[in-house]
Amino acid sequence: MDTRHQRLLYLQARTPSPLSGIIGLTFIEPIKGYKPEIVATDPDWPYETVHDALVDGWQIVQFPHLQAPFDDRELDVVGYEFILQKMEVVADE
Amino acid sequence: MSEQYLLNDAEVARFLVTGYHLVEPELPVGLNENIADQLDALATNPGDAITEAVPELCQVLEHPAVTGALSSLLGPDYEVQPHRHWHCKQPDSPHMNWHQDGLNNRDILLNRFLGLYYPTDVTPNMGPTIIVPGTQFRNAPTDRMATYTNIRGQVPLTVKAGTVAFTHYDLWHGTAANRSVHKRHMIKFLFRRTRENTAPTWNHEPEATNKPNDWNKKAQAEDANNILNFTNPIGVSQSDHYKERAIRRQNWDFLMGKQA
């Protein structure tokens, strides 16, 4: 029987705006044993912005946290992280 | 020290901006192969004693192209620290996630960095080291990197045999999977500054350093001032870029021997 499973997409964007360009991208697929992988060849970049992913049917389930104290000198992680989901049918094995 | 092998202003500026610099020393014929064969045959990892197990590695450290880069960036009295490590990425081993080494107690000034020596050619399917240029000033716990996979601007160190990659100690790095039938060898060395500069220790040309900002070339700039000002290796936001520029300038002044 086919059932709907949650696909996840982590996007690290340049700014907190959904229209912002993407610096990092990770798919988490609801497939047993699935592992995303850093690659030494040109990675596949299906989206240029967070908005591109929305157009493709992804939904934002978590916006970047902006409540942390602002520091105008220190640098920490790269980009602002959006977490998105798409519920799709995944064939049972 | 022969000036022939010292870095120039632009190379020093690019190291400060990107956090890495590649050197391809002309090593004696057969040296890389000899070292690779000995590493292939090692049954256990000797840890810091890798240079006793494979003494030919010292010839790499003594090559003038290597000592020239080290003197340029750490001063002529740099120290080769006793810690070194053989990283052998076995066939069929998976990728390694992004991380910074050590605790999150980062030094933004250029006081130490790594030298990664590769005795064989490294192809994309051999599990190359992958770095993210420009991330060396970030104080980011490795746990917080767990949701990152590929990052725009990441650079796989697919290099020629004999290459030494100097990488800032805090540069984000990981590896790809090794899907080849070959072991991918890398020997990591650690270098440290012992004395603060009172003057530049590279081939410095003051007139080439003080060029005005060129708003037309920006990232294509070839001179130190414009490299420090405009280069944005992974395209971070304006806020982060301003912070990076401030740290780069602080580093440049530190290397120029200017008092804070």
Side-chain angles (χ1 to χ4, degrees):
Chain A
M1 190 180 82
D2 288 343
T3 54
R4 279 159 41 98
H5 287 72
Q6 184 185 38
R7 300 179 66 204
L8 292 174
L9 174 58
Y10 288 77
L11 296 177
Q12 289 87 26
R14 286 191 178 84
T15 80
S17 165
L19 299 174
S20 179
I22 292 167
I23 297 176
L25 178 148
T26 300
F27 287 103
I28 304 290
E29 301 292 1
I31 299 169
K32 190 170 183 180
Y34 176 83
K35 287 180 183 170
E37 192 171 293
I38 299 170
V39 295
T41 51
D42 282 341
D44 181 28
W45 291 95
Y47 309 121
E48 292 296 319
T49 65
V50 178
H51 186 257
D52 283 350
L54 298 179
V55 170
D56 195 34
W58 290 89
Q59 297 174 312
I60 297 172
V61 294
Q62 182 170 295
F63 289 87
H65 290 295
L66 300 174
Q67 294 90 347
F70 177 71
D71 188 308
D72 206 22
R73 286 185 298 179
E74 295 294 320
L75 289 153
D76 44 53
V77 295
V78 170
Y80 294 83
E81 187 168 87
F82 290 80
I83 306 175
L84 301 92
Q85 74 165 4
K86 197 187 252 189
M87 301 300 295
E88 290 196 321
V89 172
V90 175
D92 285 343
E93 291 181 1
Chain B
M1 168 60 57
S2 166
E3 290 188 0
Q4 174 191 350
Y5 292 102
L6 294 177
L7 305 187
N8 61 31
D9 290 302
E11 289 171 319
V12 172
R14 282 199 191 93
F15 184 85
L16 293 183
V17 169
T18 64
Y20 78 104
H21 177 75
L22 303 183
V23 171
E24 295 177 352
E26 290 187 17
L27 296 167
V29 173
L31 181 67
N32 290 317
E33 293 84 350
N34 179 359
I35 291 172
D37 288 346
Q38 291 187 62
L39 294 173
D40 274 337
L42 279 180
T44 59
N45 195 327
D48 291 346
I50 185 65
T51 39
E52 281 80 61
V54 186
E56 289 80 2
L57 286 166
C58 296
Q59 293 183 52
V60 178
L61 296 181
E62 293 162 359
H63 190 280
V66 173
T67 59
L70 288 166
S71 297
S72 298
L73 297 168
L74 290 176
D77 303 320
Y78 68 84
E79 176 185 78
V80 182
Q81 298 212 268
H83 173 60
R84 61 279 315 260
H85 198 76
W86 167 44
H87 290 262
C88 178
K89 194 149 185 78
Q90 298 282 349
D92 293 324
S93 56
H95 87 281
M96 177 187 284
N97 256 2
W98 302 118
H99 59 282
Q100 289 179 305
D101 289 338
L103 296 171
N104 282 97
N105 182 19
R106 310 289 170 203
D107 178 8
I108 60 171
L109 296 178
L110 188 57
N111 285 309
R112 63 174 178 169
F113 56 78
L114 304 175
L116 315 177
Y117 162 66
Y118 298 89
T120 68
D121 289 347
V122 179
T123 56
N125 67 339
M126 285 175 67
T129 308
I130 305 185
I131 57 176
V132 188
T135 49
Q136 67 274 18
F137 302 134
R138 294 178 180 273
N139 192 3
T142 293
D143 289 359
R144 294 277 303 277
M145 301 180 198
T147 56
Y148 294 77
T149 309
N150 292 297
I151 298 175
R152 281 197 190 279
Q154 67 193 35
V155 174
L157 296 180
T158 45
V159 295
K160 292 198 306 188
T163 298
V164 178
F166 293 110
T167 60
H168 191 288
Y169 189 82
D170 297 326
L171 192 66
W172 291 23
H173 60 283
T175 74
N178 186 352
R179 296 213 163 81
S180 76
V181 296
H182 305 288
K183 296 176 182 177
R184 192 275 283 155
H185 300 296
M186 180 268 280
I187 310 295
K188 177 179 76 180
F189 296 98
L190 182 58
F191 308 98
R192 186 178 72 89
R193 176 186 306 282
T194 61
R195 195 158 56 90
E196 291 192 6
N197 286 1
T198 55
T201 58
W202 61 95
N203 282 331
H204 173 56
E205 295 180 33
E207 63 276 13
T209 310
N210 299 321
K211 291 192 173 176
N213 289 349
D214 185 337
W215 297 92
N216 297 310
K217 281 191 177 174
K218 288 192 173 179
Q220 282 73 47
E222 295 291 333
D223 65 282
N225 178 54
N226 281 287
I227 290 168
L228 293 170
N229 270 352
F230 289 117
T231 311
N232 188 351
I234 59 171
V236 296
S237 67
Q238 185 188 54
S239 303
D240 277 12
H241 190 214
Y242 282 161
K243 294 182 200 177
E244 288 178 348
R245 283 165 58 167
I247 297 170
R248 294 169 189 173
R249 284 288 168 194
Q250 191 180 347
N251 257 296
W252 179 262
D253 290 346
F254 175 68
L255 293 183
M256 291 287 287
K258 294 180 182 173
Q259 297 300 314

